Every structure is written in C-alpha cells, then in structure tokens.
Amino acid sequence: MVTADGAVKPCCYALGQLGNLHDATPEEIWNGRAAIELRSFIKTDKIHPICAGAPCKFVQNMQSMALTATGAHDATEPDGSGDGPI
C-alpha cells in the first residue's frame, strides 16, 4: 500500500513502513532489508516489528496462537481459567 506521502506499507493496518517512494524506487523497497525481513517473518509465522500491534487478522491470529502455544490463559476468571466473564 502507498500512502499520500509516499510511504510504502505492507498493508493498510501496518504501523510501520517498508520505505518511501520519495527516497527509493519500488524495486529498491521490494528488495530492501525491511521487505526481505517481513517476508521471512511471514514464512516462519512470526510477526515482524512493522506489523506488531496491527489490528489485522493475520497479526491477531498469530498473537492468539502464541498465547495458546505458551499456555497463557484468558484472564476472564479470577483463577485465569477463562471459563467466563468475571
């Protein structure tokens, strides 16, 4: 996605940017360190810092999967069981 000021972002939800068209060509941005890292993170099911905190489904699903994998519980019950609202 390209914003009005030339910032190139991986999507409209991303908080960071891959580059700026005022400073680099599309090819330079696509082949730049940030874009290469982003693709690598996506391939390995990790959230890149450019996307961290973004409200998109990919990031939200990855964060949910990370919590499940670490055994973290939904703290809706005082005991952390996640059995319902407090």
Side-chain angles (χ1 to χ4, degrees):
M1 175 189 133
V2 179
T3 64
D5 64 355
V8 177
K9 298 178 160 211
C11 77
C12 62
Y13 296 111
L15 304 176
Q17 64 182 41
L18 298 171
N20 191 296
L21 291 175
H22 295 291
D23 303 323
T25 67
E27 291 81 11
E28 290 170 331
I29 294 170
W30 179 256
N31 294 312
R33 183 182 56 81
I36 292 169
E37 279 183 0
L38 176 66
R39 291 191 295 272
S40 175
F41 273 61
I42 291 170
K43 286 180 189 176
T44 58
D45 291 329
K46 295 179 184 172
I47 300 170
H48 190 274
I50 287 175
C51 299
C56 72
K57 290 187 184 247
F58 175 78
V59 172
Q60 298 304 311
N61 287 340
M62 293 303 300
Q63 288 173 339
S64 284
M65 288 172 44
L67 289 175
T68 301
T70 61
H73 296 283
D74 179 9
T76 56
E77 284 293 313
D79 65 359
S81 66
D83 290 334
I86 296 175

